[in-house]
Amino acid sequence: MNMRTLLVSGLPDALAGLRIGFMTDLHCSSIVSQELIVSAVGLLMAERPDLIVLGGDYVTWGGDYAAVGDRHFVEPAADALRALWAPHGVYGVLGNHDDDRDMPAALTARGIAI
């Protein structure tokens, strides 16, 4: 886990010390197991973030990965992220490997705003 302190000038005092957790490119697949993602979630939660941002590519689909990418990884990927929680919320965007129907529905059902 890489924790960094970023100094940003011009922010309101109310944001001083805000802890933002960021995860991206999880690519749940036959290569990246649900258990590995659960472990990464545990490491992130141990940092006690105030806000969590997810950068997409929760699964691997298409391109060179078409043989290992499959819809059956959508639910395991979303389940692996179920434990994410932060006082200011958990927000995610979709990546180029995520579909625009199944993945958002699975994440939303687990409390992640897309």
Side-chain angles (χ1 to χ4, degrees):
M1 180 67 58
N2 290 328
M3 187 172 149
R4 303 266 198 259
T5 298
L6 300 175
L7 301 176
V8 180
S9 63
L11 287 178
D13 291 341
L15 295 178
L18 182 72
R19 297 169 61 88
I20 301 172
F22 179 69
M23 294 181 78
T24 191
D25 293 280
L26 302 173
H27 290 282
C28 187
S29 63
S30 60
I31 297 168
V32 179
S33 70
Q34 180 186 29
E35 293 77 20
L36 184 60
I37 297 169
V38 167
S39 179
V41 165
L43 291 170
L44 176 60
M45 293 308 299
E47 297 296 327
R48 299 184 347 251
D50 299 310
L51 170 73
I52 297 174
V53 178
L54 303 174
D57 284 351
Y58 307 98
V59 296
T60 296
W61 260 327
D64 294 336
Y65 299 100
V68 296
D70 195 311
R71 286 196 187 281
H72 76 267
F73 291 109
V74 168
E75 293 297 323
D79 279 343
L81 300 172
R82 180 184 301 274
L84 292 176
W85 181 88
H88 294 290
V90 180
Y91 301 90
V93 298
L94 299 178
N96 66 311
H97 288 272
D98 304 314
D99 78 328
D100 60 357
R101 189 185 74 229
D102 294 342
M103 197 74 245
L107 293 169
T108 300
R110 286 150 182 95
I112 298 168
I114 300 297

